[in-house]
Amino acid sequence: MNRSARAFWLRSPGHGEVRELTLPEPAEDEVVVRSLWSGISRGTETLVFRGGVPASQHAVMRAPFQEGDFPGPVKYGYLNVGVVEEGPAELTGRTVFCLYPHQTRYVVPVSAVTVVPDNVPAERAVLAGTVETAVNALWDAAPLVGDRIAVVGGGMVGCSVAALLARFPGVRVQLVDADPARASVAEALGVGFATPERALGDCDLVVHASATEQGLARSLELLRAEGTVIELSWYGDRRVALPLGEAFHSRRLTVRGSQVGTVSPARANRSYADRLALALDLLADPALDALVTGESAFEDLPEVMPRLASGEIPALCHRVRYDKSA
C-alpha cells in the first residue's frame, strides 16, 4: 500500500506549508485512512494560525492528533472525513470521521474513527465536530418547549446551535449577527434572523458565539429577568470586559461557560463516542449544507489559510478537497 502522505503545518504564526512524510506500518488495532475531505473551523483554526493561543491554554487547546506545539511549528485540525484503506474487515472501505488534522493519509487507532452513516454525504460529515459542540452546548443549556432563544454570533458554531434549536417544538429561535448576509443562512436553517439592534428581547436563553465583547454585552441585554447566557466563544489571548453593573444583579442574570472538551455534566452517562455518533446522525439533515460556504484543494492551503485568517475569504466552514490519487 501507498505509505507516502502530505500534511499541512503551521510553520510559524501566519505562515503555512505542506510537508511530505512516510506513514508507519499500522498495528493490528489501527487503520490507514485516506482523506476525502477536511474542514476548517474558521474561528478556532484561524486563531491558531495567527498565533493567538495564550500560553496558559496550550495544553487545553491541543487537538487529539496534533503534532508540534503552539505557536508553531504545529500540525493542527480536527475535522477529517476519509475512507479506510487498511484495517479490520468491518471497517475497510467504510467512510469514517476522525478528529485529525489536514493530511492526505494517516494511521490512527480503530477507536479514533467513527463510521459515517450511509444517509450522510462524506462532504457534509466534515461538520460533525462542530455539530458535536452544538450538541454539548444544548445539553448544558437545557432549552424547554416554548422558550424564547437568541443565538448571538452567526459563525460555524452559532449556526450549528441554531440549526439544532430549529427542531425544538414551540421555540422562538433568532440568529443574531452584525452581518446581514447571515440572513440567508438563517433562512436555510429554518430560524429567524436579526442584526443586533433589531434582535428580539425577553429571551429565556441566549447562546453567545460571536467571540466579541459587544456580542456578549448584547446577549445580556436580550435576557429576561433570571435568564441565562451560555458562553461558547473562545477569545484566545484577548481580555473581555463584562457589564456586571447596572441591572445585572437585580435581574439575577447568569453567564455559564460551555466547552466541548468535557461531556456536559447534564449527560454524564454519555461518552465522547456517544456524543459524536449523535452529531453524525443529526447531519442527515441537508439544511446543514448551508454551513459549508467555501471549498479549495488541499494543495492550496498555504495560500488559503492567510486569506481565511484575514477575513478576505468570508467563511463558516471552509471545506478542503483531497485528490483521490493522493
Side-chain angles (χ1 to χ4, degrees):
M1 296 292 292
N2 190 343
R3 290 285 181 260
S4 64
R6 288 169 290 150
F8 177 72
W9 279 74
L10 171 64
R11 184 175 69 247
S12 61
H15 302 281
E17 63 185 11
V18 172
R19 297 183 180 182
E20 303 281 341
L21 68 146
T22 300
L23 299 179
E25 287 290 330
E28 286 189 9
D29 60 345
E30 292 182 324
V31 290
V32 178
V33 179
R34 175 172 56 83
S35 296
L36 299 173
W37 305 91
S38 60
I40 299 170
S41 180
R42 185 172 178 270
T44 302
E45 289 198 54
T46 59
L47 185 146
V48 169
F49 189 77
R50 293 192 300 267
V53 180
S56 64
Q57 296 300 299
H58 282 187
V60 175
M61 281 290 292
R62 287 193 69 86
F65 294 99
Q66 173 180 324
E67 292 183 40
D69 297 296
F70 303 119
V74 63
K75 183 175 75 175
Y76 191 84
Y78 48 84
L79 301 173
N80 188 290
V81 176
V83 60
V84 175
E85 291 189 320
E86 296 181 59
E90 65 271 17
L91 286 177
T92 302
R94 300 297 300 273
T95 300
V96 295
F97 176 85
C98 184
L99 296 168
Y100 206 87
H102 309 286
Q103 185 167 309
T104 57
R105 274 187 177 83
Y106 52 92
V107 178
V108 292
V110 168
S111 59
V113 300
T114 302
V115 174
V116 175
D118 292 338
N119 60 346
V120 176
E123 55 268 37
R124 189 188 305 151
V126 296
L127 297 168
T130 307
V131 173
E132 183 184 7
T133 300
V135 167
N136 206 61
L138 294 181
W139 282 350
D140 281 334
L144 299 175
V145 172
D147 272 358
R148 298 169 180 174
I149 304 173
V151 180
V152 177
M156 193 173 169
V157 171
C159 285
S160 296
V161 171
L164 299 191
L165 284 170
R167 305 167 182 226
F168 279 66
V171 168
R172 184 192 80 187
V173 185
Q174 192 171 55
L175 182 65
V176 180
D177 197 275
D179 182 0
R182 288 288 186 261
S184 60
V185 179
E187 182 179 6
L189 297 177
V191 299
F193 176 82
T195 53
E197 67 276 8
R198 294 182 176 275
L200 298 172
D202 197 31
C203 292
D204 304 286
L205 171 68
V206 176
V207 179
H208 179 238
S210 81
T212 67
E213 189 173 294
Q214 297 87 347
L216 182 53
R218 185 59 176 142
S219 296
L220 289 170
E221 292 173 350
L222 295 176
L223 288 175
R224 62 163 174 81
E226 301 195 354
T228 298
V229 170
I230 297 294
E231 176 59 280
L232 287 180
S233 298
W234 169 243
Y235 298 94
D237 55 2
R238 290 178 292 141
R239 290 186 176 272
V240 176
L242 187 61
L244 300 182
E246 300 178 352
F248 178 82
H249 289 286
S250 63
R251 296 178 65 217
R252 297 172 59 86
L253 303 181
T254 298
V255 179
R256 182 179 180 189
S258 177
Q259 208 274 337
V260 73
T262 302
V263 173
S264 170
R267 294 294 181 272
N269 62 324
R270 308 292 176 85
S271 67
Y272 290 99
D274 291 335
R275 191 178 63 183
L276 179 56
L278 173 59
L280 281 163
D281 285 340
L282 292 170
L283 280 165
D285 186 352
L288 290 163
D289 285 332
L291 303 186
V292 179
T293 54
E295 184 178 307
S296 60
F298 167 78
E299 291 78 10
D300 296 335
L301 276 177
E303 292 75 42
V304 168
M305 282 298 294
R307 297 172 64 199
L308 284 169
S310 69
E312 179 185 346
I313 300 178
L316 292 175
C317 176
H318 189 87
R319 192 163 56 202
V320 179
R321 179 179 67 251
Y322 291 79
D323 186 341
K324 291 183 179 179
S325 63

